[in-house]
Amino acid sequence: MTIYPKHLDYTEIWKQKNYSEPTFVFQLREKSLQTLNTLPFPNKDQESWRKVSLSNFQPLTYLSQDFSKLEILPEINLKSYLDLSETEKQKYEEILLHAQNKLKENYFAQLAFAFHSKLYFLCLDESYSYKNLLLEVRCKDLTNLPIFVVYVKRFSKINLVLRYLLEETQEISFFNSLEIVVQEDSSQLELVSIEDFGNSVFHFRNFLLTQAQDTHSLVSHFNLGGYRGKTFLHCDLNGKGSKTEILGASSVSGREQQDIELTVFHSQGYTESNLLFHTVATDKAHHIFTGILQIPKTSSHVQANQINKNLMLKKTARTESMPKLEVFADDVKCCHGATIGEVDEEQMFYLLTRGIPEKEARNLIVDGFLSEILDRISPEDLREEIRKKLLNKLHV
Amino acid sequence: MGTILEVQDLYVKIGEKEILKGVNLSLPAGEVHAIMGKNGSGKSTLSNVILGHPGYTITSGDILFKGESILHLPPDERARKGIFLSFQYPTAIPGVTVFNFLRTILRSYVGKEISVKDLRLQLKQEMETLGIDPSFANRYLNDGFSGGEKKRNEILQMSILKPTLAILDETDSGLDIDALKIVCEGINRNRRPDSSILLITHYQRMLNYVVPDKVHVFIDGKIAMSGGKELALELEQKGYDWVAK
């Protein structure tokens, strides 16, 4: 077991990389390197890392390797920094700098900024409807640090699936992504995010969504595996009339440990957020959900709902739900609820009285529990695929 | 065809509290029997126990279905033998649509997969007669249903499964007069010479539409009086305390 000092110094390894890139990208890296060197390595003294053990995680070892073999299918609409027009550069640089500052205390976001394998920009037109956009990111290296920037222009409507694939390998691999999504006025976004990791993956993710006036987003998140890790979803409702629905489902089994932290910041009044997250845990797995709702004093007429339900199939499994409501405004409607429990006996009895055998009845209840989330995402074939994978993990 | 249900000197408790205190009941094929009684007299306990609810302990007595004891059978096996319970408060199962649920229970009953097309056709007819909107099939089971919708859904299941013994636990509660008529017509369509219905209710009004062959009055965990359909009218006029005296 490696015991890390409070701070890790990444300077040497960063120099070895000998980055030769456009000035903006280089400076972006350099700034995050400096931030990173001042940030304490995630440890149990920090609120966000109280539950995740990183004692056997060695970032310097992973970063010393070559990591460039990232395959994205298809590459339609994707650009690298060098492909951007001058106008695009100006906008995207602004987006990146804003995100870098917003996530300045987030260790793994800064790690991605400093050492990212590549910056990918999804360039989409204004007032255009994009249906069934699929970005499938196939990670081939032991270390993977992509950054995606998605800029949804005014009056656009986008339906995007972002799927990360990292198969199980003999060695433990490392995945650390950052997605920055910006929605301009009156745009709509439906994003399905899938983490399809093998059981040998240390995985960390930061997803930052910023919404302007009269925007609507439906973001669904599915974790289908991994060894250990944490996903941070940040949503900033930064324009009046903006609304987000955030959905998620996880199933954890074996000795897996998953941790998700979701923050909704109502930085403007007249905004609405609805959050619904379901987890099923079995074996000796451990799942942690943290839902942070922030409404500053200046944001009035806000509606915010947060529900987290956890279903435990075995007494040896653990799920934790931590709602954190920081509400300082007066004129708001907020509700939150969290449940943790085993399969409901009355539901079981009802199904048994209809002749359904016990095992099948239990499976039907679990399937229904996950379907409450899955039924709300629009790609039907994807819905079924995710359902199968989530259920397979539970031996259902 | 003989007797469908025979309850013999049944004693049941929940925790340390005795609920049923020596119930005897015989329900012949082709008949409808009504059980009436006050709140808390043990009527719903009897229906749950017949289906094998794990929360109750049978301390003595027996329950025979078509001449065979079913006490050793788990609830799903009792159901597959042809016993159906229409719940007083059907539980919601979010995420499971009515259609998928019906398909699953039919598969369990019949033992083979029912095609989506065949089930849709069968459902269409049954739902029409029960005055149920077709979109109902896509809703989650009992989730956000009104009291009337829940009861219609129970009768819909009964119509599809065609059980040998149907126990209807306060199916009339929560129904307005029009809905009650429709539901009762649905129940009457399920009356057959080879099957029986045990109807549990507080009020006589349901018995105007589903006319019973016998009425039993439940008081303090056992049947205190039995009679013909006219007994229900007498109870309506005199109340239950009259029987206790």
Side-chain angles (χ1 to χ4, degrees):
Chain A
M1 186 185 289
T2 309
I3 306 295
Y4 277 107
K6 202 170 181 193
H7 294 85
L8 281 180
D9 192 332
Y10 290 90
T11 312
E12 277 310 307
I13 204 153
W14 194 81
K15 279 181 183 168
Q16 285 168 24
K17 293 285 174 192
N18 203 15
Y19 290 115
S20 168
E21 291 167 315
T23 312
F24 173 78
V25 181
F26 187 83
Q27 287 176 347
L28 192 76
R29 286 189 191 279
E30 198 175 33
K31 189 178 174 195
S32 279
L33 172 73
Q34 287 161 7
T35 309
L36 201 55
N37 284 340
T38 63
L39 287 175
F41 187 76
N43 62 71
K44 290 188 184 290
D45 294 338
Q46 295 166 308
E47 185 61 21
S48 287
W49 297 99
R50 273 197 307 135
K51 307 283 179 176
V52 188
S53 170
L54 296 180
S55 55
N56 59 341
F57 175 60
Q58 302 172 29
L60 294 172
T61 313
Y62 288 106
L63 293 171
S64 64
Q65 298 176 12
D66 173 44
F67 46 92
S68 53
K69 295 197 290 291
L70 202 70
E71 190 179 301
I72 302 173
L73 294 171
E75 293 212 11
I76 301 167
N77 300 107
L78 271 188
K79 287 184 181 177
S80 69
Y81 181 80
L82 287 172
D83 299 330
L84 296 174
S85 68
E86 283 310 309
T87 323
E88 284 174 329
K89 267 183 192 159
Q90 203 178 350
K91 184 66 198 172
Y92 283 109
E93 285 174 6
E94 186 191 313
I95 291 171
L96 281 162
L97 289 173
H98 173 263
Q100 190 178 35
N101 185 49
K102 178 106 183 162
L103 302 173
K104 63 187 174 204
E105 288 176 11
N106 187 299
Y107 199 88
F108 285 93
Q110 294 303 319
L111 196 69
F113 274 120
F115 288 95
H116 61 265
S117 42
K118 197 173 172 181
L119 285 168
Y120 297 91
F121 300 91
L122 188 67
C123 297
L124 305 164
D125 292 334
E126 190 174 303
S127 308
Y128 197 82
S129 179
Y130 291 87
K131 286 182 183 167
N132 306 322
L133 278 176
L134 169 69
L135 282 181
E136 190 164 287
V137 184
R138 297 178 182 177
C139 304
K140 305 283 184 187
D141 292 307
L142 277 184
T143 305
N144 303 276
L145 290 96
I147 295 182
F148 287 90
V149 185
V150 181
Y151 177 35
V152 187
K153 292 181 183 169
R154 295 172 75 225
F155 302 107
S156 305
K157 198 175 171 184
I158 289 168
N159 190 321
L160 172 67
V161 176
L162 178 60
R163 183 208 292 259
Y164 290 111
L165 282 167
L166 213 167
E167 286 173 10
E168 189 165 344
T169 48
Q170 286 208 324
E171 289 176 83
I172 301 280
S173 54
F174 169 45
F175 175 89
N176 180 31
S177 75
L178 169 63
E179 297 99 39
I180 305 158
V181 182
V182 174
Q183 275 187 263
E184 267 198 343
D185 293 1
S186 307
S187 62
Q188 290 182 45
L189 168 75
E190 182 182 348
L191 189 140
V192 182
S193 142
I194 306 164
E195 298 172 358
D196 197 350
F197 300 132
N199 290 333
S200 58
V201 184
F202 266 120
H203 54 97
F204 305 92
R205 251 186 98 187
N206 273 280
F207 177 90
L208 174 64
L209 170 65
T210 309
Q211 292 184 226
Q213 194 170 319
D214 297 326
T215 52
H216 187 192
S217 72
L218 172 62
V219 177
S220 44
H221 169 78
F222 301 98
N223 174 283
L224 304 179
Y227 165 59
R228 195 167 282 180
K230 178 144 186 157
T231 297
F232 294 88
L233 263 73
H234 320 258
C235 176
D236 183 0
L237 295 170
N238 195 23
K240 284 183 180 173
S242 56
K243 181 181 175 184
T244 185
E245 284 182 71
I246 302 173
L247 307 170
S250 285
S251 62
V252 285
S253 59
R255 288 182 172 271
E256 195 180 341
Q257 185 195 44
Q258 305 298 344
D259 189 333
I260 181 156
E261 184 171 310
L262 218 149
T263 307
V264 179
F265 180 44
H266 288 260
S267 54
Q268 290 284 328
Y270 298 92
T271 49
E272 184 179 338
S273 65
N274 294 296
L275 193 159
L276 183 63
F277 201 97
H278 284 193
T279 298
V280 189
T282 189
D283 302 332
K284 292 185 175 176
H286 184 191
H287 191 276
I288 305 118
F289 172 87
T290 308
I292 302 169
L293 176 66
Q294 297 171 322
I295 309 176
K297 203 170 173 52
T298 49
S299 298
S300 62
H301 298 91
V302 164
Q303 277 195 48
N305 303 302
Q306 188 188 110
I307 295 170
N308 172 226
K309 293 183 187 173
N310 297 273
L311 185 60
M312 290 194 299
L313 302 185
K314 285 189 182 168
K315 289 192 189 303
T316 46
R318 279 175 70 200
T319 60
E320 294 179 62
S321 181
M322 291 181 280
K324 294 180 181 175
L325 278 66
E326 299 164 14
V327 180
F328 297 102
D330 292 326
D331 194 3
V332 296
K333 285 182 189 169
C334 294
C335 82
H336 78 94
T339 61
I340 296 176
E342 295 171 30
V343 170
D344 184 83
E345 278 185 17
E346 290 309 313
Q347 288 184 338
M348 273 299 284
F349 183 61
Y350 188 82
L351 296 178
L352 293 172
T353 65
R354 298 310 186 243
I356 303 172
E358 191 174 339
K359 189 168 188 293
E360 196 179 342
R362 184 176 293 269
N363 292 353
L364 193 64
I365 292 168
V366 175
D367 191 347
F369 185 76
L370 294 170
S371 293
E372 273 192 275
I373 304 294
L374 288 163
D375 286 353
R376 294 175 65 178
I377 66 168
S378 48
E380 273 188 44
D381 49 344
L382 194 66
R383 195 187 297 170
E384 290 315 307
E385 190 192 328
I386 297 170
R387 184 197 312 279
K388 273 184 194 162
K389 288 195 172 181
L390 288 172
L391 292 174
N392 278 346
K393 281 184 72 183
L394 300 167
H395 329 296
V396 165
Chain B
M1 194 187 159
T3 305
I4 298 290
L5 176 71
E6 181 95 37
V7 180
Q8 297 175 338
D9 203 21
L10 190 69
Y11 284 79
V12 172
K13 63 179 185 180
I14 184 162
E16 288 306 309
K17 192 180 177 191
E18 193 159 61
I19 312 277
L20 299 186
K21 302 167 184 173
V23 178
N24 285 290
L25 175 71
S26 181
L27 180 54
E31 290 196 3
V32 173
H33 285 202
I35 291 182
M36 300 181 77
K38 280 184 175 179
N39 289 328
S41 57
K43 306 185 301 293
S44 293
T45 298
L46 177 65
S47 59
N48 279 315
V49 168
I50 294 172
L51 263 299
H53 193 292
Y56 299 92
T57 310
I58 294 172
T59 47
S60 71
D62 206 349
I63 301 171
L64 309 181
F65 178 68
K66 293 201 283 189
E68 285 179 25
S69 175
I70 54 168
L71 289 188
H72 62 288
L73 297 176
D76 56 314
E77 281 190 43
R78 297 183 195 200
R80 288 197 296 275
K81 278 191 174 288
I83 307 174
F84 176 84
L85 171 61
S86 167
F87 282 77
Q88 184 181 357
Y89 302 110
T91 188
I93 307 189
V96 177
T97 63
V98 170
F99 186 83
N100 275 346
F101 170 69
L102 292 174
R103 203 171 171 212
T104 308
I105 63 175
L106 262 173
R107 188 177 57 222
S108 299
Y109 252 70
V110 180
K112 64 176 184 183
E113 200 73 42
I114 313 294
S115 79
V116 172
K117 193 181 160 190
D118 287 349
L119 180 58
R120 283 207 190 282
L121 202 69
Q122 190 184 353
L123 259 185
K124 190 171 177 285
Q125 291 165 349
E126 299 290 356
M127 287 168 102
E128 263 174 24
T129 52
L130 285 167
I132 298 173
D133 190 88
S135 65
F136 188 84
N138 299 323
R139 292 173 63 186
Y140 292 155
L141 186 64
N142 296 322
D143 191 29
F145 283 19
S146 68
E149 284 174 329
K150 283 182 181 175
K151 298 301 167 76
R152 284 178 203 228
N153 185 40
E154 296 290 284
I155 301 305
L156 175 68
Q157 293 170 50
M158 182 176 90
S159 303
I160 287 173
L161 296 176
K162 296 182 175 44
T164 307
L165 170 65
I167 303 165
L168 311 180
D169 191 1
E170 295 195 26
T171 299
D172 52 340
S173 65
L175 291 179
D176 58 43
I177 294 291
D178 293 336
L180 181 66
K181 277 185 190 172
I182 293 170
V183 165
C184 288
E185 282 165 15
I187 296 168
N188 284 328
R189 273 194 298 278
N190 283 282
R191 292 180 82 152
R192 295 185 306 275
D194 59 346
S195 67
S196 306
I197 295 173
L198 187 62
L199 208 152
I200 295 169
T201 183
H202 281 296
Y203 306 107
Q204 191 269 335
R205 66 170 189 166
M206 189 181 190
L207 306 183
N208 289 333
Y209 304 107
V210 184
V211 181
D213 297 287
K214 264 191 175 180
V215 174
H216 307 281
V217 186
F218 232 77
I219 291 181
D220 193 25
K222 60 184 175 188
I223 292 172
M225 184 183 279
S226 297
K229 60 189 172 193
E230 63 285 350
L231 179 57
L233 283 170
E234 207 169 351
L235 286 167
E236 190 81 355
Q237 289 168 358
K238 297 182 179 174
Y240 291 109
D241 290 339
W242 155 73
V243 180
K245 286 171 190 168

